[in-house]
Amino acid sequence: MEGLNRAVEGMFLAALPGYARQPRPGKRSSRPKDEVLLGFEDFTTRLLAWTLWWNTEHRPAPLRGRTPLEAWQDDPTPLRDVPAADLWTFTLEDAGTRTLTTRGIRFRKRDYVGPWMTGQAGIQVRIRFMPHHDHRIEVYHAVTGRYLGPADLADQATRPDCRLRPHAARDAGPHPARRAPGRLAHPCFPGRADHARPARPVPVRPCRRFRPGRPPPAGRTSHHRQRRRRLVTAATYQYVDLPDASVVTTRALLTARENISDTVAARAMMCIHGGAGFGKTLAVNICLRALEPGEDVRKITFRARPTARAVRYELFTALDLAGEPPRHPSEFDRLLKTALAERPRTFLVDEAQRLNGEAFEYFRYLWDEPSTQLAIIFVGGAGCHTVLRREPMLSSRIFIWQQFTRLTPDEVLEVIPLFHPVWADAEPEDIAFADSHAAHGNFRAWAQLTAHTRTALARTGRARVDQELLRWAFSRLA
């Protein structure tokens, strides 16, 4: 289909009367005066005939002597039917990535908001939109590609849609302009759930800007705080849903378990670093989960380059402290140190490469307090080690350094058959073939490859993995 679309202009349209893009040197008129243009019926007949010739007789060089129809019939790629209700998604165009702010998403000099945005400020999202329908955009997570939800124009959204800040319910107040009017169902896309809109425009008063990291008020924090501090309670295999997958005890996992236990026992600080997809976060979550409920573990993840003020608010939320956070830094620090002195706690600081010197210094300040009983585990990408080394006052206090690396070829042959039943009866040559061509010792790449391999086995009905099936799976990976 893509080849036909690329060739139709140069091989078909350019030869038709009235073609406007052909070169016309000198002062030649746009087209001859006696040129007769085709009618719609004649044009359609010629186009269909040319399309038939292209698919059944034309033999492009990349297809090595085959016609497009023969290449299509020889292709083993499994096909699937798309539900009619989802066909509209193929009309969406990609508009790139944006940052979700407290005002929503900025697109074409206009703000778009949605009720699902509450508490999501600061994340990177990808926008897709339907041309000529600027009242709504579709929003996806920029990293995982997960669909987050729709967003409507801010001046057309309902009042709950504008509630992007945790304090919006308190700010709304009983002002007459904020009373919800009657709503009318307004379908935005055929076959999709309708989104209610006000029967008439509702004036929206300006609200205070949300302060990054500020926790929600009392009465609305239980689920929010629990979600932000909770460790992984179910296996998340590198962001891929993999039924029947197992956590394999690798040498790196055994080392991490021993190092984390020693760090927690000593109430010290530790740094685990390595490339993306090497299994750092999964290993740390498994090791810390084994320490619960005897150990109070709190997980914290920051946006890029948080300030000390943002770190205070995140710790306030992670510790489930009651009431409103203090306004003055000295009072805030005294509250946090008092809470950390109550009982031993362990902080898991994920994506630590995002922290700057100010944030690292604040963690050192809390850890140095004699009354606090704190263990801190920093986990980050390849740059985490470099960022920590730039802070001598902190790096000199790191109790254990551990680097996660790729699986070696021997480890791949030992670990992958235990990782998922797909590979249990696979030939070692096929596993080595998959690792050298696609996975390269990366656990996240192996998880993605396993998911595609399961799909191929289910669709083709084959009993075991072979290199032909693996090549199809490779075509789906970057």
Side-chain angles (χ1 to χ4, degrees):
M1 181 63 69
E2 288 80 3
L4 185 146
N5 290 336
R6 287 192 297 266
V8 67
E9 183 171 5
M11 298 181 65
F12 174 69
L13 298 179
L16 297 181
Y19 179 67
R21 296 187 181 180
Q22 55 184 306
R24 304 182 185 278
K27 298 182 179 180
R28 184 179 174 183
S29 58
S30 60
R31 65 171 182 262
K33 295 181 180 180
D34 57 347
E35 189 174 41
V36 179
L37 302 181
L38 295 176
F40 178 75
E41 293 78 5
D42 293 338
F43 172 78
T44 304
T45 302
R46 291 195 185 189
L47 178 60
L48 293 177
W50 182 84
T51 303
L52 180 63
W53 169 84
W54 171 275
N55 287 324
T56 60
E57 299 181 29
H58 182 54
R59 301 179 185 273
L63 299 184
R64 299 177 181 178
R66 296 180 298 171
T67 65
L69 179 60
E70 293 171 345
W72 172 270
Q73 293 173 339
D74 295 341
D75 192 343
T77 304
L79 302 178
R80 63 184 179 92
D81 294 329
V82 178
D86 296 338
L87 290 178
W88 68 273
T89 59
F90 290 93
T91 67
L92 299 179
E93 294 187 3
D94 195 317
T97 59
R98 302 287 194 281
T99 299
L100 177 59
T101 68
T102 56
R103 294 185 178 183
I105 299 174
R106 192 71 173 172
F107 175 58
R108 292 183 174 176
K109 301 182 179 180
R110 307 172 80 177
D111 291 324
Y112 290 77
V113 297
W116 56 269
M117 295 181 182
T118 303
Q120 302 289 335
I123 67 172
Q124 291 290 316
V125 297
R126 179 169 293 277
I127 296 175
R128 293 186 173 92
F129 69 99
M130 183 180 293
H132 312 297
H133 292 264
D134 59 354
H135 60 281
R136 165 171 292 189
I137 59 176
E138 305 297 324
V139 186
Y140 299 77
H141 196 283
V143 178
T144 65
R146 179 172 58 89
Y147 178 65
L148 300 177
D152 297 303
L153 276 174
D155 55 357
Q156 297 179 7
T158 59
R159 184 62 195 169
D161 292 341
C162 299
R163 207 170 291 163
L164 302 185
R165 306 170 316 285
H167 292 282
R170 183 189 66 188
D171 295 340
H175 192 278
R178 302 184 185 217
R179 296 171 186 167
R183 297 187 178 185
L184 297 177
H186 184 85
C188 294
F189 294 109
R192 303 197 59 208
D194 296 348
H195 272 244
R197 294 195 176 178
R200 54 186 174 82
V202 180
V204 180
R205 292 173 57 187
C207 303
R208 290 185 294 110
R209 293 177 64 94
F210 169 58
R211 298 175 181 176
R214 184 170 183 174
R220 297 182 60 197
T221 60
S222 177
H223 172 73
H224 178 75
R225 288 176 178 171
Q226 186 178 8
R227 175 176 59 83
R228 297 189 66 170
R229 72 177 180 84
R230 186 171 55 223
L231 288 174
V232 179
T233 56
T236 53
Y237 300 99
Q238 301 293 350
Y239 310 105
V240 178
D241 183 17
L242 271 182
D244 302 324
S246 302
V247 177
V248 185
T249 305
T250 62
R251 295 184 181 89
L253 178 59
L254 290 174
T255 303
R257 181 179 299 169
E258 180 179 332
N259 290 340
I260 290 174
S261 298
D262 293 343
T263 300
V264 172
R267 294 295 150 194
M269 291 189 287
M270 174 185 177
C271 174
I272 294 181
H273 60 98
F278 289 176
K280 306 179 299 297
T281 302
L282 178 62
V284 172
N285 274 290
I286 292 172
C287 296
L288 290 177
R289 196 186 310 149
L291 300 178
E292 293 180 325
E295 182 69 22
D296 186 1
V297 181
R298 307 296 174 106
K299 180 178 180 179
I300 309 172
T301 303
F302 295 96
R303 60 175 175 81
R305 302 185 63 82
T307 62
R309 180 171 176 270
V311 174
R312 291 187 182 97
Y313 280 116
E314 291 292 341
L315 293 177
F316 183 93
T317 302
L319 292 171
D320 291 341
L321 300 181
E324 291 287 335
R327 294 183 177 274
H328 299 287
S330 59
E331 184 182 353
F332 212 148
D333 295 343
R334 186 163 50 253
L335 174 65
L336 291 176
K337 287 189 289 186
T338 300
L340 293 174
E342 292 176 352
R343 60 179 180 272
R345 286 188 173 91
T346 297
F347 282 156
L348 168 58
V349 183
D350 203 4
E351 303 296 344
Q353 74 277 3
R354 299 177 181 174
L355 303 183
N356 55 17
E358 183 182 9
F360 277 127
E361 176 61 25
Y362 191 75
F363 276 109
R364 184 195 67 81
Y365 165 74
L366 293 177
W367 185 82
D368 281 350
E369 176 65 29
S371 62
T372 59
Q373 305 176 62
L374 188 61
I376 305 177
I377 300 173
F378 296 105
V379 181
C384 177
H385 176 270
T386 304
V387 174
L388 278 173
R389 284 297 188 186
R390 293 182 189 145
E391 307 296 331
M393 296 294 290
L394 180 63
S395 62
S396 62
R397 289 166 169 78
I398 298 297
F399 186 56
I400 296 177
W401 300 84
Q402 180 179 348
Q403 181 181 10
F404 271 62
T405 59
R406 300 178 184 272
L407 296 174
T408 65
D410 291 338
E411 288 177 318
V412 167
L413 295 178
E414 177 184 353
V415 168
I416 297 305
L418 305 175
F419 171 58
H420 196 277
V422 163
W423 310 106
D425 57 351
E427 294 293 337
E429 294 79 8
D430 293 335
I431 296 178
F433 176 78
D435 186 64
S436 62
H437 286 77
H440 308 296
N442 187 299
F443 247 125
R444 186 170 302 166
W446 268 110
Q448 295 172 349
L449 179 61
T450 303
H452 295 312
T453 303
R454 287 183 66 251
T455 301
L457 288 173
R459 292 177 181 175
T460 60
R462 300 185 183 184
R464 58 187 302 176
V465 175
D466 55 46
Q467 293 192 11
E468 181 183 9
L469 188 142
L470 288 175
R471 288 191 180 92
W472 175 85
F474 297 164
S475 67
R476 290 188 159 194
L477 300 175

